[in-house]
């Protein structure tokens, strides 16, 4: 099975900052990667798919890039509502798998 | 309104059974594959099972294969997860999640989840 490793696991930042989260796959997955945001007590929300395509309704301050084994999620101009946990997920090779998550907290 | 609403969670003893349901509304249910994804307390996300729109093909994580059965009733726009031989490690919030098309294991709509606790 494919393993996804996110870094960092924990990130502290301020409103207005730019942050980047990395997701590394144990083998190549082309661009079959999605990013989700989850707030405490809530269901995850799809942000980005196909590594860089923004899901409808997601603010443009979120962006994704990468292919193969290394991917990034970037959030520019952090807003208070962006403080949450973020997960990457690969959907190229069965079974689908998630990264362990990156918790983004307010500094 | 497009939404998914899970039910059926609760406390069950190890070795017991439980059936989860997920009622869909606001979209043409039979056009979309559906999945179950779970999250143990304080832990990350784990895909559990998926089913095609027609219900003709099903898929399972190794951790639940042989114990869990996914199914759907398209006229009732309802997804099910029959869980047998439950173990403590099955304790989690179970989410149903819609695939945006055929079963490609991307999840564009999630329910609020239902908590399953396996404990004596």
């Amino acid at each position: 099975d494919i393993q996804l490793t996110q870094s960092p696991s924990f990130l502290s930042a301020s409103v207005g900052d730019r942050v980047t989260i990395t997701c590394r796959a144990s083998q190549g997955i082309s661009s079959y990667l999605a990013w989700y945001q989850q707030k405490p007590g809530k269901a995850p929300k799809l942000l980005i798919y196909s590594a860089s395509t923004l899901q409808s309704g997601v603010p443009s301050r979120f962006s994704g890039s990468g292919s193969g084994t290394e991917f990034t999620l970037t959030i520019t101009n952090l807003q208070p509502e962006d403080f949450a946990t973020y997960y990457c997920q690969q959907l190229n090779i069965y079974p689908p798998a998630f990264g362990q998550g990156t918790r983004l907290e307010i500094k | 309104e497009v939404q998914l609403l899970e039910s059926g969670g609760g406390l069950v003893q190890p070795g017991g059974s439980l059936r989860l349901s997920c009622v869909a509304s606001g979209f043409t249910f039979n056009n979309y594959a559906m999945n179950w994804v779970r999250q143990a307390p304080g832990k990350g996300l784990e895909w559990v099972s998926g089913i095609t729109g027609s219900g003709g093909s099903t898929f399972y994580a190794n951790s639940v294969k042989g114990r869990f059965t996914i199914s759907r009733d398209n006229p009732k726009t309802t997804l099910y997860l029959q869980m047998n031989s439950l173990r403590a490690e099955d304790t989690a919030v179970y989410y149903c999640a819609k695939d945006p098309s055929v079963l490609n294991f991307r999840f564009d709509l999630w329910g609020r989840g239902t908590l399953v606790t396996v404990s004596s």
Side-chain angles (χ1 to χ4, degrees):
Chain A
D1 293 3
I2 288 182
Q3 309 300 320
L4 295 178
T5 303
Q6 291 181 229
S7 59
S9 295
F10 177 84
L11 184 56
S12 182
S14 301
V15 172
D17 282 356
R18 176 181 185 270
V19 298
T20 297
I21 299 169
T22 298
C23 176
R24 290 186 173 87
S26 59
Q27 62 188 89
I29 56 171
S30 185
S31 297
Y32 292 95
L33 188 100
W35 289 96
Y36 299 85
Q37 176 194 65
Q38 186 178 33
K39 297 180 180 179
K42 302 295 186 183
K45 172 187 173 183
L46 177 64
L47 297 177
I48 286 170
Y49 61 94
S50 299
S52 60
T53 302
L54 211 59
Q55 174 72 355
S56 176
V58 174
S60 59
R61 62 181 181 273
F62 292 90
S63 64
S65 66
S67 67
T69 62
E70 186 154 335
F71 303 85
T72 59
L73 171 69
T74 299
I75 314 170
T76 57
N77 188 23
L78 269 173
Q79 297 300 298
E81 60 267 29
D82 299 337
F83 293 92
T85 299
Y86 293 85
Y87 294 93
C88 60
Q89 181 226 341
Q90 73 84 18
L91 45 149
N92 184 49
I93 297 173
Y94 181 83
F98 292 89
Q100 84 279 12
T102 294
R103 184 175 171 187
L104 174 57
E105 291 202 341
I106 299 176
K107 186 180 292 183
Chain B
E1 182 186 1
V2 177
Q3 66 176 2
L4 300 170
L5 186 60
E6 303 94 335
S7 61
L11 175 63
V12 61
Q13 292 188 339
S17 298
L18 212 54
R19 188 177 85 155
L20 307 183
S21 300
C22 170
V23 178
S25 58
F27 62 96
T28 306
F29 184 66
N30 57 281
N31 282 355
Y32 300 96
M34 296 293 294
N35 298 266
W36 289 97
V37 178
R38 68 184 180 183
Q39 186 170 36
K43 302 297 184 183
L45 301 168
E46 179 189 16
W47 173 80
V48 172
S49 182
I51 186 169
T52 54
S54 66
S57 295
T58 58
F59 301 84
Y60 299 94
N62 285 338
S63 57
V64 306
K65 197 174 295 183
R67 301 187 298 122
F68 290 11
T69 302
I70 191 172
S71 62
R72 63 193 295 161
D73 185 331
N74 284 344
K76 293 184 177 179
T77 68
T78 302
L79 176 72
Y80 301 101
L81 186 67
Q82 177 67 44
M83 303 186 296
N84 299 331
S85 302
L86 282 161
R87 306 166 180 167
E89 55 265 35
D90 296 318
T91 294
V93 173
Y94 285 73
Y95 295 101
C96 69
K98 171 185 163 291
D99 217 288
S101 60
V102 297
L103 197 61
N104 63 9
F105 303 114
R106 172 159 49 104
F107 316 120
D108 67 346
L109 177 68
W110 298 64
R112 294 192 302 179
T114 187
L115 176 62
V116 172
T117 303
V118 184
S119 174
S120 54

CSV table of all heavy atoms in Angstrom, one decimal, chain A residues 1 34 36 38 42-46 49 55 87 89 91 94-96 98-100, chain B residues 37 39 43-47 59-62 95 104-108 110-112:
chain,number,residue,atom,x,y,z
A,1,ASP,N,0.8,-1.2,0.0
A,1,ASP,CA,0.0,0.0,0.0
A,1,ASP,C,0.9,1.2,0.0
A,1,ASP,O,2.0,1.3,0.5
A,1,ASP,CB,-0.9,0.0,1.2
A,1,ASP,CG,-1.9,-1.1,1.2
A,1,ASP,OD1,-1.9,-1.9,0.3
A,1,ASP,OD2,-2.8,-1.1,2.2
A,34,ALA,N,-5.5,14.6,-3.6
A,34,ALA,CA,-6.5,15.6,-3.1
A,34,ALA,C,-6.1,16.1,-1.7
A,34,ALA,O,-5.3,15.4,-1.0
A,34,ALA,CB,-7.9,14.9,-3.0
A,36,TYR,N,-7.8,17.9,1.8
A,36,TYR,CA,-9.0,18.1,2.6
A,36,TYR,C,-8.7,19.0,3.8
A,36,TYR,O,-7.6,18.9,4.4
A,36,TYR,CB,-9.7,16.8,3.1
A,36,TYR,CG,-10.1,15.9,2.0
A,36,TYR,CD1,-9.1,15.0,1.4
A,36,TYR,CD2,-11.4,15.9,1.5
A,36,TYR,CE1,-9.5,14.2,0.4
A,36,TYR,CE2,-11.7,15.0,0.5
A,36,TYR,CZ,-10.8,14.1,-0.1
A,36,TYR,OH,-11.1,13.3,-1.1
A,38,GLN,N,-10.3,19.9,7.7
A,38,GLN,CA,-11.2,19.4,8.7
A,38,GLN,C,-11.1,20.3,9.9
A,38,GLN,O,-10.0,20.5,10.5
A,38,GLN,CB,-11.0,18.0,9.1
A,38,GLN,CG,-12.0,17.4,10.0
A,38,GLN,CD,-11.8,16.0,10.4
A,38,GLN,OE1,-10.7,15.5,10.5
A,38,GLN,NE2,-12.9,15.2,10.6
A,42,LYS,N,-16.2,18.5,12.9
A,42,LYS,CA,-16.8,18.6,11.6
A,42,LYS,C,-16.3,17.6,10.7
A,42,LYS,O,-15.2,17.0,10.9
A,42,LYS,CB,-16.6,20.0,11.0
A,42,LYS,CG,-17.1,21.1,11.9
A,42,LYS,CD,-18.6,21.1,12.1
A,42,LYS,CE,-19.1,22.3,12.8
A,42,LYS,NZ,-20.6,22.2,13.0
A,43,ALA,N,-17.0,17.3,9.6
A,43,ALA,CA,-16.6,16.5,8.5
A,43,ALA,C,-15.5,17.1,7.7
A,43,ALA,O,-15.4,18.4,7.6
A,43,ALA,CB,-17.7,16.1,7.6
A,44,PRO,N,-14.6,16.4,7.1
A,44,PRO,CA,-13.7,16.9,6.1
A,44,PRO,C,-14.4,17.6,5.0
A,44,PRO,O,-15.5,17.3,4.6
A,44,PRO,CB,-12.9,15.7,5.7
A,44,PRO,CG,-13.0,14.7,6.8
A,44,PRO,CD,-14.4,14.9,7.2
A,45,LYS,N,-13.6,18.5,4.4
A,45,LYS,CA,-14.1,19.3,3.2
A,45,LYS,C,-13.1,19.2,2.1
A,45,LYS,O,-11.9,19.5,2.4
A,45,LYS,CB,-14.4,20.7,3.6
A,45,LYS,CG,-14.7,21.6,2.4
A,45,LYS,CD,-14.8,23.1,2.9
A,45,LYS,CE,-14.9,24.1,1.8
A,45,LYS,NZ,-14.9,25.5,2.2
A,46,LEU,N,-13.5,18.8,0.9
A,46,LEU,CA,-12.5,18.7,-0.2
A,46,LEU,C,-12.1,20.2,-0.7
A,46,LEU,O,-13.0,21.0,-0.9
A,46,LEU,CB,-13.2,18.0,-1.4
A,46,LEU,CG,-12.4,17.9,-2.7
A,46,LEU,CD1,-11.1,17.1,-2.5
A,46,LEU,CD2,-13.3,17.3,-3.8
A,49,TYR,N,-8.3,18.9,-5.8
A,49,TYR,CA,-8.1,17.6,-6.4
A,49,TYR,C,-7.2,17.6,-7.6
A,49,TYR,O,-6.9,18.7,-8.1
A,49,TYR,CB,-9.5,16.9,-6.7
A,49,TYR,CG,-10.3,17.7,-7.8
A,49,TYR,CD1,-10.3,17.4,-9.1
A,49,TYR,CD2,-11.1,18.7,-7.4
A,49,TYR,CE1,-11.0,18.0,-10.0
A,49,TYR,CE2,-11.9,19.4,-8.3
A,49,TYR,CZ,-11.8,19.1,-9.6
A,49,TYR,OH,-12.6,19.8,-10.6
A,55,GLN,N,-11.5,22.9,-5.8
A,55,GLN,CA,-12.9,22.5,-5.8
A,55,GLN,C,-13.8,23.7,-5.8
A,55,GLN,O,-13.4,24.8,-5.3
A,55,GLN,CB,-13.1,21.7,-4.5
A,55,GLN,CG,-14.6,21.3,-4.2
A,55,GLN,CD,-15.1,20.2,-5.2
A,55,GLN,OE1,-14.4,19.8,-6.1
A,55,GLN,NE2,-16.3,19.8,-4.9
A,87,TYR,N,-5.5,17.3,5.4
A,87,TYR,CA,-5.1,15.9,5.0
A,87,TYR,C,-4.9,15.9,3.5
A,87,TYR,O,-5.7,16.4,2.8
A,87,TYR,CB,-6.2,14.9,5.4
A,87,TYR,CG,-6.4,14.7,6.9
A,87,TYR,CD1,-7.4,15.5,7.5
A,87,TYR,CD2,-5.7,13.8,7.6
A,87,TYR,CE1,-7.6,15.3,8.9
A,87,TYR,CE2,-5.9,13.6,9.0
A,87,TYR,CZ,-6.9,14.4,9.6
A,87,TYR,OH,-7.1,14.2,10.9
A,89,GLN,N,-4.6,13.1,0.3
A,89,GLN,CA,-5.1,11.7,0.0
A,89,GLN,C,-4.7,11.3,-1.4
A,89,GLN,O,-4.9,12.1,-2.3
A,89,GLN,CB,-6.6,11.7,0.1
A,89,GLN,CG,-7.3,10.4,-0.2
A,89,GLN,CD,-8.5,10.4,-1.1
A,89,GLN,OE1,-9.1,11.5,-1.3
A,89,GLN,NE2,-8.8,9.3,-1.6
A,91,LEU,N,-5.3,8.8,-4.7
A,91,LEU,CA,-6.4,8.0,-5.3
A,91,LEU,C,-5.9,7.4,-6.6
A,91,LEU,O,-6.7,7.1,-7.4
A,91,LEU,CB,-7.7,8.9,-5.5
A,91,LEU,CG,-7.5,10.2,-6.1
A,91,LEU,CD1,-8.8,10.6,-6.9
A,91,LEU,CD2,-7.4,11.3,-5.0
A,94,TYR,N,-5.0,1.7,-5.7
A,94,TYR,CA,-5.9,1.1,-4.7
A,94,TYR,C,-5.1,0.4,-3.6
A,94,TYR,O,-4.1,-0.3,-3.9
A,94,TYR,CB,-6.8,0.1,-5.3
A,94,TYR,CG,-7.8,-0.6,-4.4
A,94,TYR,CD1,-9.0,0.1,-4.1
A,94,TYR,CD2,-7.6,-1.8,-3.9
A,94,TYR,CE1,-9.9,-0.5,-3.3
A,94,TYR,CE2,-8.5,-2.4,-3.0
A,94,TYR,CZ,-9.7,-1.8,-2.7
A,94,TYR,OH,-10.6,-2.4,-1.9
A,95,PRO,N,-5.4,0.5,-2.3
A,95,PRO,CA,-6.5,1.3,-1.7
A,95,PRO,C,-6.2,2.7,-1.5
A,95,PRO,O,-5.0,3.1,-1.4
A,95,PRO,CB,-6.7,0.6,-0.4
A,95,PRO,CG,-5.4,0.2,0.0
A,95,PRO,CD,-4.7,-0.2,-1.2
A,96,PRO,N,-7.2,3.6,-1.6
A,96,PRO,CA,-7.0,5.0,-1.3
A,96,PRO,C,-6.4,5.2,0.1
A,96,PRO,O,-6.8,4.4,1.0
A,96,PRO,CB,-8.3,5.7,-1.5
A,96,PRO,CG,-9.3,4.5,-1.2
A,96,PRO,CD,-8.6,3.3,-1.7
A,98,PHE,N,-4.8,8.2,3.1
A,98,PHE,CA,-4.7,9.6,3.6
A,98,PHE,C,-3.3,9.8,4.3
A,98,PHE,O,-2.8,8.8,4.9
A,98,PHE,CB,-5.8,9.9,4.6
A,98,PHE,CG,-7.2,10.0,4.0
A,98,PHE,CD1,-7.9,8.8,4.0
A,98,PHE,CD2,-7.7,11.2,3.6
A,98,PHE,CE1,-9.2,8.9,3.5
A,98,PHE,CE2,-9.0,11.3,3.1
A,98,PHE,CZ,-9.7,10.1,3.0
A,99,GLY,N,-2.8,11.0,4.3
A,99,GLY,CA,-1.7,11.3,5.1
A,99,GLY,C,-2.2,11.4,6.6
A,99,GLY,O,-3.4,11.4,6.9
A,100,GLN,N,-1.2,11.6,7.5
A,100,GLN,CA,-1.5,11.6,8.9
A,100,GLN,C,-2.1,12.9,9.4
A,100,GLN,O,-2.6,13.0,10.5
A,100,GLN,CB,-0.3,11.3,9.7
A,100,GLN,CG,0.6,12.4,10.0
A,100,GLN,CD,1.6,12.8,8.9
A,100,GLN,OE1,1.4,12.3,7.7
A,100,GLN,NE2,2.6,13.6,9.2
B,37,VAL,N,-15.8,6.3,5.2
B,37,VAL,CA,-14.5,6.7,5.7
B,37,VAL,C,-14.7,6.9,7.2
B,37,VAL,O,-15.6,7.4,7.7
B,37,VAL,CB,-14.0,8.1,5.1
B,37,VAL,CG1,-12.7,8.5,5.6
B,37,VAL,CG2,-14.0,7.9,3.5
B,39,GLN,N,-12.8,7.7,11.2
B,39,GLN,CA,-11.8,8.4,12.0
B,39,GLN,C,-11.9,8.0,13.4
B,39,GLN,O,-12.9,8.4,14.1
B,39,GLN,CB,-12.1,9.9,11.8
B,39,GLN,CG,-11.0,10.8,12.4
B,39,GLN,CD,-11.1,12.3,12.0
B,39,GLN,OE1,-12.2,12.8,11.9
B,39,GLN,NE2,-10.0,12.9,11.8
B,43,LYS,N,-7.6,10.6,15.9
B,43,LYS,CA,-6.7,10.1,14.8
B,43,LYS,C,-7.0,10.6,13.4
B,43,LYS,O,-7.9,11.5,13.3
B,43,LYS,CB,-6.8,8.6,14.8
B,43,LYS,CG,-6.4,7.9,16.1
B,43,LYS,CD,-5.0,8.2,16.5
B,43,LYS,CE,-4.6,7.4,17.8
B,43,LYS,NZ,-3.2,7.7,18.2
B,44,GLY,N,-6.4,10.1,12.4
B,44,GLY,CA,-6.6,10.6,11.1
B,44,GLY,C,-7.7,9.8,10.4
B,44,GLY,O,-8.4,9.0,11.0
B,45,LEU,N,-7.8,10.0,9.1
B,45,LEU,CA,-8.9,9.5,8.3
B,45,LEU,C,-8.4,8.1,7.7
B,45,LEU,O,-7.3,8.0,7.3
B,45,LEU,CB,-9.2,10.5,7.1
B,45,LEU,CG,-9.7,11.8,7.6
B,45,LEU,CD1,-9.7,12.8,6.4
B,45,LEU,CD2,-11.1,11.7,8.2
B,46,GLU,N,-9.4,7.2,7.6
B,46,GLU,CA,-9.1,5.9,7.0
B,46,GLU,C,-10.3,5.5,6.1
B,46,GLU,O,-11.4,5.4,6.6
B,46,GLU,CB,-9.0,4.8,8.1
B,46,GLU,CG,-8.7,3.4,7.5
B,46,GLU,CD,-8.8,2.3,8.6
B,46,GLU,OE1,-9.3,2.6,9.7
B,46,GLU,OE2,-8.3,1.2,8.3
B,47,TRP,N,-10.0,5.3,4.8
B,47,TRP,CA,-11.1,4.8,3.9
B,47,TRP,C,-11.4,3.4,4.3
B,47,TRP,O,-10.6,2.6,4.6
B,47,TRP,CB,-10.6,4.8,2.5
B,47,TRP,CG,-11.5,4.2,1.5
B,47,TRP,CD1,-12.6,4.7,0.9
B,47,TRP,CD2,-11.4,2.9,1.0
B,47,TRP,NE1,-13.2,3.8,0.1
B,47,TRP,CE2,-12.5,2.7,0.1
B,47,TRP,CE3,-10.5,1.8,1.2
B,47,TRP,CZ2,-12.7,1.5,-0.6
B,47,TRP,CZ3,-10.6,0.6,0.5
B,47,TRP,CH2,-11.7,0.5,-0.4
B,59,PHE,N,-15.8,-2.5,-2.7
B,59,PHE,CA,-14.4,-2.5,-2.4
B,59,PHE,C,-14.3,-2.3,-0.9
B,59,PHE,O,-15.0,-1.6,-0.3
B,59,PHE,CB,-13.7,-1.4,-3.2
B,59,PHE,CG,-13.8,-1.5,-4.7
B,59,PHE,CD1,-14.9,-1.0,-5.3
B,59,PHE,CD2,-12.8,-2.2,-5.4
B,59,PHE,CE1,-15.0,-1.1,-6.7
B,59,PHE,CE2,-12.9,-2.3,-6.8
B,59,PHE,CZ,-14.1,-1.8,-7.4
B,60,TYR,N,-13.2,-2.9,-0.3
B,60,TYR,CA,-13.0,-2.9,1.1
B,60,TYR,C,-11.6,-2.7,1.5
B,60,TYR,O,-10.7,-3.2,0.8
B,60,TYR,CB,-13.5,-4.2,1.8
B,60,TYR,CG,-15.0,-4.4,1.6
B,60,TYR,CD1,-15.4,-5.2,0.5
B,60,TYR,CD2,-15.9,-3.8,2.4
B,60,TYR,CE1,-16.8,-5.4,0.3
B,60,TYR,CE2,-17.3,-4.1,2.2
B,60,TYR,CZ,-17.7,-4.9,1.1
B,60,TYR,OH,-19.0,-5.1,0.9
B,61,ALA,N,-11.3,-2.0,2.6
B,61,ALA,CA,-10.0,-1.9,3.2
B,61,ALA,C,-9.7,-3.3,3.8
B,61,ALA,O,-10.6,-4.0,4.2
B,61,ALA,CB,-9.9,-0.9,4.3
B,62,ASN,N,-8.4,-3.7,3.8
B,62,ASN,CA,-8.0,-5.0,4.3
B,62,ASN,C,-8.5,-5.1,5.8
B,62,ASN,O,-8.8,-6.2,6.2
B,62,ASN,CB,-6.5,-5.2,4.2
B,62,ASN,CG,-6.1,-5.5,2.8
B,62,ASN,OD1,-6.9,-5.9,2.0
B,62,ASN,ND2,-4.8,-5.2,2.5
B,95,TYR,N,-18.1,8.3,8.5
B,95,TYR,CA,-18.6,9.2,7.6
B,95,TYR,C,-19.0,8.5,6.3
B,95,TYR,O,-18.3,7.7,5.8
B,95,TYR,CB,-17.6,10.3,7.2
B,95,TYR,CG,-17.1,11.2,8.3
B,95,TYR,CD1,-15.9,10.9,9.0
B,95,TYR,CD2,-17.9,12.3,8.7
B,95,TYR,CE1,-15.4,11.8,10.0
B,95,TYR,CE2,-17.4,13.1,9.8
B,95,TYR,CZ,-16.2,12.8,10.4
B,95,TYR,OH,-15.8,13.7,11.4
B,104,ASN,N,-13.8,6.7,-8.1
B,104,ASN,CA,-12.4,7.1,-8.2
B,104,ASN,C,-11.9,7.5,-6.8
B,104,ASN,O,-10.7,8.0,-6.8
B,104,ASN,CB,-12.2,8.2,-9.2
B,104,ASN,CG,-12.9,9.5,-8.9
B,104,ASN,OD1,-13.4,9.7,-7.8
B,104,ASN,ND2,-12.9,10.4,-9.8
B,105,PHE,N,-12.6,7.3,-5.8
B,105,PHE,CA,-12.2,7.4,-4.4
B,105,PHE,C,-11.8,8.8,-4.1
B,105,PHE,O,-10.8,9.1,-3.3
B,105,PHE,CB,-11.0,6.4,-4.1
B,105,PHE,CG,-11.4,5.0,-4.3
B,105,PHE,CD1,-10.8,4.3,-5.4
B,105,PHE,CD2,-12.4,4.4,-3.6
B,105,PHE,CE1,-11.1,2.9,-5.6
B,105,PHE,CE2,-12.7,3.1,-3.8
B,105,PHE,CZ,-12.1,2.3,-4.8
B,106,ARG,N,-12.5,9.8,-4.7
B,106,ARG,CA,-12.3,11.2,-4.3
B,106,ARG,C,-13.7,11.6,-3.7
B,106,ARG,O,-14.7,11.1,-4.1
B,106,ARG,CB,-12.0,12.1,-5.5
B,106,ARG,CG,-12.1,13.6,-5.2
B,106,ARG,CD,-11.3,14.4,-6.3
B,106,ARG,NE,-11.6,14.0,-7.6
B,106,ARG,CZ,-12.4,14.8,-8.4
B,106,ARG,NH1,-13.0,15.9,-8.0
B,106,ARG,NH2,-12.6,14.4,-9.7
B,107,PHE,N,-13.6,12.4,-2.6
B,107,PHE,CA,-14.8,12.5,-1.8
B,107,PHE,C,-15.2,14.0,-1.7
B,107,PHE,O,-14.6,14.8,-1.0
B,107,PHE,CB,-14.5,12.0,-0.4
B,107,PHE,CG,-13.8,10.7,-0.3
B,107,PHE,CD1,-12.6,10.5,0.2
B,107,PHE,CD2,-14.4,9.6,-1.0
B,107,PHE,CE1,-11.9,9.3,0.3
B,107,PHE,CE2,-13.7,8.3,-1.0
B,107,PHE,CZ,-12.5,8.2,-0.4
B,108,ASP,N,-16.3,14.4,-2.5
B,108,ASP,CA,-16.6,15.8,-2.6
B,108,ASP,C,-17.8,16.2,-1.8
B,108,ASP,O,-18.1,17.4,-1.7
B,108,ASP,CB,-16.9,16.1,-4.1
B,108,ASP,CG,-18.1,15.5,-4.7
B,108,ASP,OD1,-18.6,14.5,-4.1
B,108,ASP,OD2,-18.5,15.9,-5.8
B,110,TRP,N,-19.5,15.1,2.2
B,110,TRP,CA,-19.4,14.3,3.4
B,110,TRP,C,-20.7,14.5,4.3
B,110,TRP,O,-21.2,15.6,4.3
B,110,TRP,CB,-18.2,14.6,4.2
B,110,TRP,CG,-16.9,14.4,3.5
B,110,TRP,CD1,-16.4,15.0,2.4
B,110,TRP,CD2,-15.9,13.5,3.9
B,110,TRP,NE1,-15.2,14.6,2.1
B,110,TRP,CE2,-14.8,13.6,3.0
B,110,TRP,CE3,-15.7,12.6,5.0
B,110,TRP,CZ2,-13.6,12.9,3.1
B,110,TRP,CZ3,-14.5,11.9,5.1
B,110,TRP,CH2,-13.5,12.0,4.1
B,111,GLY,N,-21.1,13.4,5.0
B,111,GLY,CA,-22.1,13.6,6.0
B,111,GLY,C,-21.4,14.1,7.3
B,111,GLY,O,-20.2,14.3,7.3
B,112,ARG,N,-22.2,14.2,8.3
B,112,ARG,CA,-21.7,14.7,9.6
B,112,ARG,C,-21.1,13.6,10.4
B,112,ARG,O,-20.4,13.9,11.4
B,112,ARG,CB,-22.8,15.4,10.4
B,112,ARG,CG,-23.3,16.7,9.7
B,112,ARG,CD,-24.2,17.5,10.7
B,112,ARG,NE,-25.3,16.7,11.1
B,112,ARG,CZ,-26.2,17.2,12.0
B,112,ARG,NH1,-26.1,18.4,12.4
B,112,ARG,NH2,-27.3,16.5,12.3
